[in-house]
Amino acid sequence: MFGFWSRYQHFAMPVAGVAIAAITVVVLQRFLSDLSLDHVLESAANIPGRHLAMALALTVVSFAAIAFYDVVAVETIAPGRIPRIVSATVGAAGCAISNALGFSLLTGGMLRYRIYAGEGIALSDIGRIIGTSWLAIWFAFTVMIALGLVLDPARTPFIDQLDPRLGLALGIALILAIGFLVGWLSRGERTLTLGKVSIRLPNSRGALTQIVAGLVDVCAAAGTLYVLMPDTVTTSPAVFALVFVMATIIGIASHAPGGLGAFEASMIAGLGLGSNPDAIAALLAFRIIYTLLPFLVAIVGVLAFEIYARHAHVSQRVRSAGRILEPLVPPLVAATTFSGGIMLLLSSSIPGATERLDLLSDLLPLPFIEVSHLAASFVGIAMLILARGLARRLQQAWAAALILFILGAVFSIGKGLVWEDAVVLLGMSAVLIGFRTSFYRRPIEGVGPLSWGWLASVISIVAISIWLGFFSYRNVEYSNQLFWQFAVDGDAPRFLRASIVILIATAATALHTAVNRNAIDRKPRAEIPQAIGAIVASSNVTHAALAMLGDKQFLMSPDGRGFIMYARSGGSLIALGGPIGPVEGDTDLAWAFHDLADRSAVRTAFYGVEPEQLPMYLDMGLVALKLGEVARVDLTAFNLDGARRQPLRYADRRAEKDGMVFEVVKTHDVPPLLGELRAVSDAWLEMKAGSEKGFSLGYFEDDYLSKFDIAVIRLQGRIIAFANLWGSADKSELTIDLMRHVPDAPKIVMDALLTRLLLHGKALGYRWFNLGAAPLSGLSASRLASRWNRFGSFLYRRGQNLYRFDGLKAFKDKFDPVWTPHYFVCPPGLDTIRSLFDVTALISGGPLELIRK
């Protein structure tokens, strides 16, 4: 069951969010059917000023308490490594961003990663910090629920239908459990293990600090809404706080930003507020004060720091603060864009001001008003979708968002002189222009499809906005002709037409997300830059020859003397090995490739890295996974003497006795043999029931093979086996790429061919002969090893039915090689799994081919 959940949770959670959105619409329709939108807006305007001031003060208290979550978490996981002012700022800002945009891992989690990783905190510890902070808020929720049950069980929703003693007993049990937990933590260091994830828990003092901070946070947040409520809401503070907590939890599960709609529906249903316009107005004011204002403060603050930090004479402390706040820019701008999209959709769903429409009709023709209304709705849904690209720092998303903001402002004026929306959108444009440099990535695939979670949020917002429209026009009599009515005061028909546009755009986005896949197809040979051939010929690295396949792209060094060869696969940019060329250019070229991947909004990966290169990649914040071991034979000591060489002597003598002839065909003599060599290759592929691979392995292609010497074995004049040769310029290493034989060749043909090649390489003066890699060889099975090592070791030992890992190593062991490890370097965390899939699909020829194999 756990495995099933792990496999489908990325899809199940968004589906649950959409289901909650559907329930939200039903609840709102049921409880608000007797209310008038005009009455709600009038009540909002009449909220007393002192109540608004108290709500603002409580909001400040709540976010101050939130700051303590990260302070305690950082001191627990990485004590003394992050200044408390930094962790406090990150905690409060991360929560503010998550409240608005949702996607806590993408927004608040991304902020923590950018700042804490920059201070040298390991990814695993950052994950533990986030987990500890989340535990704090859930502990606070638990305590608040317990207090509500203890203080007023008779009026607690749902429990009030049962015996109040049941609620009292449950509340006392929860409080005792929290007390037991604090006592347990006081006895020493404790660790919480959930599956494969372990989180170091704070000591009793830290736990009490987080619990108190959580209580202050939740009480202040609930108090913000409570002081805005009219006197007609007589619910006790304890029950109100309990309903507030439950509504917050449901809002989190809904995937809508800030739980929009789901939170309100839960409060309305839990407290029975449906017929009270003053209470609904309080919910509206709460949204503005507790959700929107923190964003505005953050945006203004970050903008001020950006401007001030660029001044030539600012102090180092100010520059450091600017560096800390800069990671806030993309999520804040994304949140603002998403909120702007919500604003336009909601504005299109409610009636326009009659006096403004009358004035506008004197200035503009009716068709322009109608088109502006439709266009504003389309801009709104486009902003919801585009916000994800802004969160990823995409340059295309920045340009498109700037255009949408300006168009949205124009259409807001054109649809009904809604100058408030226009001013907000133009203000967003100014912010976007001010943060131009934060959006520098140019993804290869464009903005790309939405994630399931983001799509769920878009669908939830669309559902809420369309419900709001039907709620606003519920007194209008619908008919088939209503859709085609065009008039200045025809708000209801305009809403219906806009709804169709919104639904079509949402459906198209969902379809694109569902069917779009970054499939990797073996592309035809690309043109290889002229400089590549010369660099390969002079290279001391044999695998540089794979640059001649024509299936890769190249990043050249500024002096044109070196390159990195790479290919795109899924969401990864994968380099084959390290930089090829002069050693002095390696570090700069590798970092340039890392920068290229970052600017392209994809993951950086290096496949087949040698051990001595690892420090450079670890400095990039990447992790190294051991792929296996490479076998190299010392040719200076190689001969056929001794008992250990008996199988090789037998293969060599048997081949000579049976009339097999070994020959190395020089490059200029290869083209006439290509037809015969292809027949051998095709027969070998058919025998193996496989297909050509690529990227890190050569494949049969005439132009490619024509560039190398080829060793062949003939039997009665017929080629029965061959291998193309790669040699380093300094004769430090000789190796083979394709090695194939016909199905009816003698069993000793491969041993004989390799034996002759080793002797041939020794005669030419080569130092080493590279027999290639043994996948997953040499991985540790110790319980203290990494999960990757333990999994790879298990697969090596138990995967004989899928692939003869041990057989391949045993075959190469006959030549007494020296085994050296090689690595796959990629980003940490979940990106490791994605990068592994991408490189495997790239080598296999695509995801479908990988699955088929």
Side-chain angles (χ1 to χ4, degrees):
M1 182 67 183
F2 179 78
F4 177 85
W5 173 250
S6 299
R7 182 176 180 182
Y8 292 104
Q9 62 176 335
H10 69 286
F11 182 75
M13 292 300 292
V15 169
V18 173
I20 291 175
I23 296 172
T24 295
V25 169
V26 173
V27 170
L28 292 176
Q29 180 63 28
R30 176 183 176 184
F31 283 92
L32 302 183
S33 58
D34 296 331
L35 276 183
S36 166
L37 183 60
D38 291 336
H39 289 165
V40 172
L41 296 177
E42 182 180 351
S43 297
N46 292 329
I47 295 177
R50 64 186 184 88
H51 290 183
L52 295 175
M54 292 172 62
L56 285 170
L58 288 169
T59 297
V60 172
V61 172
S62 176
F63 277 91
I66 288 170
F68 277 93
Y69 296 162
D70 270 51
V71 171
V72 175
V74 169
E75 288 302 309
T76 300
I77 306 300
R81 299 181 61 184
I82 301 291
R84 292 185 177 181
I85 186 64
V86 173
S87 56
T89 302
V90 172
C95 184
I97 297 170
S98 300
N99 280 351
L101 187 59
F103 316 106
S104 57
L105 290 180
L106 177 64
T107 53
M110 181 177 67
L111 171 66
R112 290 176 173 90
Y113 172 76
R114 288 292 302 275
I115 294 178
Y116 293 154
E119 298 295 331
I121 306 299
L123 177 72
S124 57
D125 284 339
I126 295 174
R128 293 185 180 98
I129 290 172
I130 296 173
T132 303
S133 297
W134 267 88
L135 283 176
I137 186 62
W138 285 102
F139 277 138
F141 286 163
T142 303
V143 173
M144 290 300 298
I145 291 172
L147 290 176
L149 292 173
V150 169
L151 296 176
D152 201 349
R155 290 195 290 176
T156 299
F158 305 113
I159 299 294
D160 60 354
Q161 304 298 319
L162 306 173
D163 190 333
R165 291 174 294 182
L166 176 62
L168 179 63
L170 179 59
I172 293 174
L174 290 174
I175 292 175
L176 291 176
I178 296 295
F180 173 79
L181 174 64
V182 174
W184 180 63
L185 293 175
S186 67
R187 298 178 183 177
E189 184 176 299
R190 302 292 186 178
T191 301
L192 175 65
T193 301
L194 300 172
K196 297 182 179 180
V197 178
S198 61
I199 301 175
R200 186 189 312 156
L201 296 176
N203 57 28
S204 57
R205 180 179 178 182
L208 284 172
T209 301
Q210 283 196 319
I211 290 174
V212 171
L215 287 174
V216 173
D217 163 33
V218 176
C219 288
T224 302
L225 178 57
Y226 190 77
V227 299
L228 294 171
M229 285 290 175
D231 295 337
T232 53
V233 176
T234 57
T235 305
S236 69
V239 173
F240 187 91
L242 176 60
V243 175
F244 181 90
V245 168
M246 297 305 299
T248 302
I249 295 173
I250 294 172
I252 292 172
S254 72
H255 271 72
L260 183 64
F263 172 83
E264 284 79 6
S266 301
M267 291 297 299
I268 291 169
L271 299 177
L273 306 177
S275 59
N276 192 333
D278 295 334
I280 306 304
L283 287 170
L284 180 62
F286 172 78
R287 277 295 177 189
I288 296 173
I289 293 173
Y290 195 82
T291 304
L292 293 182
L293 282 184
F295 295 139
L296 297 178
V297 171
I299 291 172
V300 172
V302 173
L303 181 59
F305 266 103
E306 279 283 302
I307 296 173
Y308 189 50
R310 291 176 184 176
H311 194 275
H313 304 292
V314 297
S315 67
Q316 183 61 37
R317 178 172 295 183
V318 172
R319 290 184 183 274
S320 177
R323 177 183 62 82
I324 291 172
L325 290 174
E326 195 279 335
L328 283 169
V329 171
L332 275 177
V333 172
T336 305
T337 303
F338 202 96
S339 300
I342 295 174
M343 177 186 70
L344 284 178
L345 290 180
L346 296 183
S347 176
S348 298
S349 299
I350 60 178
T354 303
E355 63 278 6
R356 296 186 185 186
L357 283 171
D358 291 339
L359 176 61
L360 186 65
S361 65
D362 295 333
L363 303 174
L364 297 174
L366 179 60
F368 188 89
I369 298 174
E370 297 287 354
V371 171
S372 294
H373 193 277
L374 284 176
S377 301
F378 180 80
V379 168
I381 191 69
M383 288 170 66
L384 297 184
I385 296 168
L386 199 63
R388 181 172 181 263
L390 292 171
R392 296 172 60 199
R393 295 177 175 260
L394 303 188
Q395 189 179 80
Q396 297 165 265
W398 178 89
L402 186 60
I403 294 172
L404 287 177
F405 288 162
I406 296 172
L407 290 177
V410 172
F411 295 140
S412 294
I413 296 296
K415 73 175 184 178
L417 292 179
V418 189
W419 59 267
E420 298 91 345
D421 290 1
V423 169
V424 171
L425 291 170
L426 291 176
M428 291 180 181
S429 302
V431 171
L432 207 59
I433 293 172
F435 292 130
R436 169 67 186 85
T437 57
S438 295
F439 302 90
Y440 57 87
R441 291 175 172 171
R442 300 176 64 90
I444 298 172
E445 83 288 356
V447 175
L450 298 182
S451 65
W452 289 115
W454 202 286
L455 180 62
S457 293
V458 172
I459 293 175
S460 299
I461 295 301
V462 167
I464 295 296
S465 67
I466 291 179
W467 168 83
L468 180 61
F470 281 108
F471 172 76
S472 301
Y473 302 111
R474 63 188 184 279
N475 295 324
V476 177
E477 294 185 6
Y478 289 95
S479 65
N480 294 333
Q481 291 76 26
L482 184 64
F483 186 86
W484 303 106
Q485 291 179 6
F486 297 91
V488 173
D489 59 350
D491 288 320
R494 274 195 289 270
F495 157 70
L496 288 178
R497 291 188 288 269
S499 297
I500 297 299
V501 171
I502 293 171
L503 289 174
I504 291 175
T506 305
T509 302
L511 182 63
H512 175 63
T513 298
V515 304
N516 186 72
R517 295 290 182 270
N518 290 320
I520 306 139
D521 298 318
R522 182 71 39 75
K523 297 180 175 64
R525 281 178 57 84
E527 183 177 349
I528 301 172
Q530 186 174 0
I532 298 298
I535 297 173
V536 170
S538 61
S539 175
N540 298 327
V541 180
T542 52
H543 75 262
L546 285 167
M548 311 310 294
L549 267 175
D551 64 345
K552 302 173 184 68
Q553 295 175 276
F554 301 93
L555 177 66
M556 302 295 298
S557 62
D559 61 6
R561 298 170 57 202
F563 66 85
I564 284 181
M565 50 182 159
Y566 67 92
R568 169 69 188 278
S569 176
S572 303
L573 213 59
I574 304 169
L576 181 58
I580 306 295
V583 175
E584 60 268 23
D586 283 2
T587 301
D588 290 343
L589 195 53
W591 277 97
F593 179 76
H594 190 32
D595 181 66
L596 172 65
D598 178 65
R599 289 180 176 275
S600 301
V602 290
R603 294 177 286 273
T604 304
F606 294 85
Y607 182 86
V609 170
E610 301 295 331
E612 58 271 16
Q613 298 173 322
L614 286 181
M616 173 175 63
Y617 300 115
L618 297 179
D619 286 344
M620 298 179 184
L622 306 176
V623 297
L625 305 180
K626 188 175 181 180
L627 294 173
E629 296 176 307
V630 176
R632 291 183 173 88
V633 179
D634 185 354
L635 293 180
T636 61
F638 179 77
N639 56 58
L640 297 182
D641 300 333
R644 288 183 59 83
R645 306 296 192 195
Q646 193 278 331
L648 303 183
R649 287 199 304 273
Y650 170 78
D652 184 59
R653 293 172 182 174
R654 178 64 184 271
E656 184 177 359
K657 180 180 178 181
D658 290 348
M660 299 182 202
V661 178
F662 171 81
E663 176 189 2
V664 175
V665 181
K666 296 299 181 182
T667 304
H668 55 80
D669 294 326
V670 169
L673 298 178
L674 288 173
E676 191 174 357
L677 294 175
R678 181 175 289 279
V680 175
S681 177
D682 291 346
W684 185 84
L685 288 171
E686 184 177 356
M687 175 182 65
K688 297 294 184 180
S691 60
E692 295 282 20
K693 294 180 171 60
F695 186 65
S696 65
L697 300 168
Y699 51 87
F700 199 101
E701 206 281 329
D702 290 354
D703 289 344
Y704 169 66
L705 289 180
S706 298
K707 292 179 170 59
F708 308 103
D709 294 347
I710 295 183
V712 301
I713 286 186
R714 300 178 188 269
L715 181 60
Q716 297 179 354
R718 169 194 172 210
I719 296 177
I720 62 171
F722 75 89
N724 62 310
L725 304 180
W726 299 339
S728 62
D730 62 354
K731 291 198 172 182
S732 60
E733 184 176 274
L734 180 69
T735 188
I736 56 175
D737 180 22
L738 278 71
M739 187 175 180
R740 298 176 178 181
H741 62 83
V742 295
D744 59 346
K747 292 182 179 180
I748 51 90
V749 68
M750 290 291 101
D751 285 354
L753 178 57
L754 278 175
T755 300
R756 282 294 174 179
L757 280 172
L758 288 167
L759 294 173
H760 172 74
K762 181 176 182 177
L764 292 178
Y766 283 94
R767 175 70 175 82
W768 296 92
F769 191 95
N770 189 328
L771 293 172
L776 304 182
S777 169
L779 273 66
S780 174
S782 169
R783 65 181 181 85
L784 301 177
S786 68
R787 286 191 291 270
W788 165 255
N789 274 267
R790 284 183 276 123
F791 172 75
S793 177
F794 172 81
L795 190 60
Y796 179 82
R797 290 180 284 108
R798 304 295 184 184
Q800 295 95 327
N801 294 332
L802 297 175
Y803 191 86
R804 292 287 299 176
F805 296 113
D806 55 347
L808 181 60
K809 188 174 190 298
F811 172 77
K812 295 179 180 182
D813 264 333
K814 292 186 295 186
F815 299 91
D816 289 332
V818 176
W819 292 96
T820 57
H822 71 142
Y823 299 87
F824 178 56
V825 178
C826 60
L830 292 177
D831 283 338
T832 297
I833 300 173
R834 299 185 182 104
S835 300
L836 283 169
F837 179 83
D838 288 343
V839 74
T840 306
L842 177 63
I843 294 171
S844 299
L848 295 180
E849 189 64 25
L850 173 62
I851 294 171
R852 189 186 70 81
K853 287 179 173 61

